[in-house]
Amino acid sequence: MLSWLNKCLWADWIWFPEGHGWADFNDPKDDIVLPHAPDLWAFIPIAICFLVIRPLFERWVAIPLASVLGVSDKRRVFPPLNSTLEAYFCNISKHPTQSSLEKLSKQTSCSVQQVQRWFRQRRNQDRPSKIKKFQEASWRFTFYLLAFFAGLATLIDKPWFYDMTRMWDNFPKMPILQSQYWYYMTELGFYVSLIVSVASDVKRKDFKEQIVHHVATIVLLSFSWLVNYVRGGTLIMVVHDAADYLMESAKMFNYAGWKRTCNCIFTVFAVVFIITRLFIFPFCILHATCVYPLTLYKPFFGFYFFNGLLILLLALHVFWAVLILRMVIKFLPGNGIVEDERSDKEETESDEEDGSGNGKCPEDQHGTWEPRPEEPRSQPDYMLLEWMHGQLSPKNGKSDTIFFVRIMSHSSSKWEYMNILAVDILMTADIVQMRSSPSPQKHRHTLESTLGGNPFHQSGTCSSSHPHGPRHTSCTLV
């Protein structure tokens, strides 16, 4: 039974035009190298090599490169522990409706705004960091760049690179070159490694489309190797790699905040993508594989199967072209840096609420303070706020302590902020000199002696069971 099914599945009339079949690959009269099914097993060790090399590359190449380019992450505020909200977040929905927010508000004794803020902070907690995105983009950039030039080296002296209809010369007895074999197996192994690592990669809005693309590419490469559509396969791969490395490089500079460089590279990418994917691919390659063969052979199932996969890729190209054009339109009038339409953006304070309240539910809130009425802020005030959120750093090698004191000495609200920062010193670990002490009293004396007078003339107490994290800090400021 199995042998009969296998014979029917691989029947010559299914995969080859009339007059050709699998026997053409076993003709002893021809002293040429032809593709065989066992050749495909080489992609397994190649995929394993990619999976082993990738974490090493991201650790020893991508991270130092990110540091050189200035890629950094903003300090995230983690939500307080709340078993009720956590259970709803994990088991029901990450985006509760208004009615659900009201129910959760009653269950947790929190206001609706506090519940909204908790969910926003919890979603931000799960979002990948810029460093992780940069690592992934730099890995793909490196492969696509090398693969593109390797493909050009493989095809540059071939006649079917300039006249694509010649990919059918002597079909199916077209000899396979060593360079074509390794180009094929390397690309196949890379896409298999992407499928394996998909669980740990950054998930974007086009996650499903990416999976479809990777699976279609793997099937297309495997099938084209088996029936010796290798010439067409190499053309398809080099056309795709021509734009991919530009996209990944634009994303790298985007994460680094290099606005002009990112916009310039992305513009080049958009032009190359449209030319290669929406003009060369359908009007040259697809014409040579879908229209021209009908002048040579009668249609057969393999012909429909191969071109069906190509049309699926073309549909994905159109989908991505729409996203690309949307991104291009955003920055054409000078609206700022290009944002990846496929990426989830980190939610800010104004995304869901007006920012009122301190955002902690009463059952989880260990520290309380009443903010004073808003007053006009001077330039040092804004510098102080930027320093608190890690967006401003000292220059000329000065310590954070000296830098902080100099800003405070010119701040119109310095006494008010000193009370808040005394607590913030405990809760934040990214500024080593100012915020690593388990007690704020030492910093009080230091700042008092530096600025003169006692900035903490208001009554208040502060204690901590741990130097890091607001969940273990208890403060009362009046």
Side-chain angles (χ1 to χ4, degrees):
M1 182 66 177
L2 292 178
S3 60
W4 178 82
L5 289 175
N6 183 68
K7 184 178 180 180
C8 293
L9 179 62
W10 300 107
D12 292 343
W13 63 270
I14 296 178
W15 305 110
F16 294 95
E18 186 177 353
H20 298 283
W22 300 107
D24 294 333
F25 297 129
N26 301 317
D27 193 344
K29 298 179 181 178
D30 297 323
D31 189 18
I32 57 177
V33 178
L34 296 173
H36 296 88
D39 299 336
L40 290 174
W41 292 112
F43 80 86
I44 296 179
I46 293 176
I48 294 175
C49 287
F50 278 126
L51 293 173
V52 172
I53 294 173
R54 177 175 177 175
L56 299 178
F57 175 90
E58 292 180 348
R59 174 64 181 86
W60 299 106
V61 178
I63 292 181
L65 181 59
S67 179
V68 171
L69 295 179
V71 180
S72 61
D73 289 301
K74 294 181 180 180
R75 182 170 65 89
R76 293 182 178 179
V77 179
F78 294 100
L81 294 176
N82 190 301
S83 57
T84 302
L85 298 181
E86 184 69 24
Y88 188 95
F89 181 89
C90 296
N91 302 324
I92 301 178
S93 174
K94 298 181 180 180
H95 298 270
T97 61
Q98 184 63 32
S99 60
S100 298
L101 287 173
E102 294 174 356
K103 291 180 181 179
L104 291 171
S105 174
K106 295 178 181 179
Q107 293 175 10
T108 58
S109 300
C110 302
S111 68
V112 174
Q113 288 79 9
Q114 289 172 334
V115 175
Q116 285 178 320
R117 178 175 292 184
W118 190 95
F119 275 93
R120 187 194 68 249
Q121 293 176 348
R122 184 63 178 84
R123 288 192 294 269
N124 286 341
Q125 179 180 330
D126 288 347
R127 288 190 172 93
S129 64
K130 281 187 179 180
I131 297 296
K132 179 173 177 57
K133 292 180 180 179
F134 183 89
Q135 289 176 306
E136 181 180 315
S138 60
W139 167 250
R140 297 193 183 198
F141 163 77
T142 302
F143 175 82
Y144 289 137
L145 180 66
L146 296 177
F148 173 66
F149 286 103
L152 282 181
T154 301
L155 292 170
I156 196 68
D157 60 340
K158 305 301 185 294
W160 58 87
F161 183 67
Y162 305 96
D163 181 7
M164 295 186 184
T165 59
R166 297 195 61 182
M167 71 172 67
W168 298 103
D169 291 353
N170 299 321
F171 176 80
K173 296 184 179 181
M174 300 178 291
I176 299 298
L177 302 178
Q178 196 76 3
S179 58
Q180 291 175 317
Y181 172 76
W182 287 113
Y183 183 44
Y184 240 75
M185 295 303 110
T186 302
E187 289 270 0
L188 184 58
F190 178 75
Y191 281 103
V192 170
S193 71
L194 292 183
I195 291 291
V196 174
S197 63
V198 69
S200 60
D201 287 345
V202 176
K203 290 181 174 58
R204 306 183 188 275
K205 294 178 182 178
D206 65 342
F207 173 76
K208 295 180 180 178
E209 290 79 7
Q210 285 282 2
I211 294 296
V212 172
H213 173 270
H214 296 341
V215 172
T217 301
I218 292 172
V219 174
L220 180 64
L221 291 176
S222 302
F223 172 73
S224 62
W225 178 265
L226 290 175
V227 296
N228 204 1
Y229 293 169
V230 174
R231 293 179 179 178
T234 53
L235 289 170
I236 294 169
M237 288 189 292
V238 77
V239 164
H240 281 68
D241 292 336
D244 287 340
Y245 74 92
L246 291 171
M247 178 60 180
E248 300 301 331
S249 62
K251 288 160 61 176
M252 291 167 62
F253 285 108
N254 182 15
Y255 303 142
W258 292 36
K259 177 163 59 175
R260 292 184 179 179
T261 305
C262 171
N263 289 350
C264 291
I265 295 178
F266 188 82
T267 302
V268 176
F269 159 75
V271 173
V272 174
F273 183 93
I274 291 174
I275 292 176
T276 56
R277 305 286 184 96
L278 300 183
F279 285 95
I280 295 179
F281 181 74
F283 297 109
C284 296
I285 296 180
L286 200 55
H287 180 272
T289 61
C290 187
V291 178
Y292 177 74
L294 296 178
T295 64
L296 303 176
Y297 311 104
K298 294 181 180 180
F300 54 99
F301 177 81
F303 166 83
Y304 294 117
F305 181 76
F306 182 72
N307 287 286
L309 292 173
L310 297 185
I311 293 174
L312 176 61
L313 290 180
L314 180 60
L316 292 173
H317 297 166
V318 174
F319 169 78
W320 284 317
V322 173
L323 297 182
I324 292 169
L325 292 176
R326 287 173 57 184
M327 287 186 277
V328 170
I329 292 173
K330 282 186 177 181
F331 79 87
L332 278 179
N335 292 330
I337 195 167
V338 176
E339 296 285 352
D340 191 349
E341 285 285 337
R342 304 172 301 157
S343 299
D344 289 332
K345 299 178 180 63
E346 190 162 313
E347 297 171 85
T348 59
E349 196 73 25
S350 60
D351 285 343
E352 296 179 356
E353 55 187 276
D354 59 2
S356 61
N358 57 17
K360 295 182 181 179
C361 296
E363 64 182 84
D364 297 295
Q365 181 175 333
H366 300 292
T368 62
W369 61 275
E370 293 296 332
R372 298 176 185 268
E374 187 68 27
E375 57 184 84
R377 303 197 186 281
S378 62
Q379 182 64 24
D381 289 340
Y382 286 108
M383 294 175 64
L384 178 60
L385 292 174
E386 290 180 357
W387 182 86
M388 289 173 61
H389 292 284
Q391 300 172 1
L392 186 64
S393 300
K395 298 181 180 179
N396 302 324
K398 295 181 180 181
S399 68
D400 287 287
T401 305
I402 298 174
F403 185 67
F404 166 75
V405 169
R406 292 197 174 186
I407 298 176
M408 288 294 299
S409 63
H410 296 285
S411 174
S412 62
S413 308
K414 56 186 176 184
W415 307 133
E416 173 186 349
Y417 289 128
M418 288 292 284
N419 283 278
I420 302 171
L421 281 173
V423 181
D424 190 61
I425 286 169
L426 299 176
M427 298 192 301
T428 310
D430 57 349
I431 304 298
V432 177
Q433 294 189 15
M434 285 295 295
R435 308 185 185 189
S436 60
S437 173
S439 173
Q441 194 64 33
K442 176 181 177 181
H443 298 289
R444 290 192 177 193
H445 293 314
T446 301
L447 296 172
E448 179 181 345
S449 61
T450 304
L451 294 173
N454 182 9
F456 298 90
H457 58 279
Q458 298 95 341
S459 61
T461 60
C462 184
S463 61
S464 174
S465 61
H466 194 278
H468 311 304
R471 298 173 188 169
H472 304 280
T473 304
S474 177
C475 299
T476 303
L477 301 179
V478 182

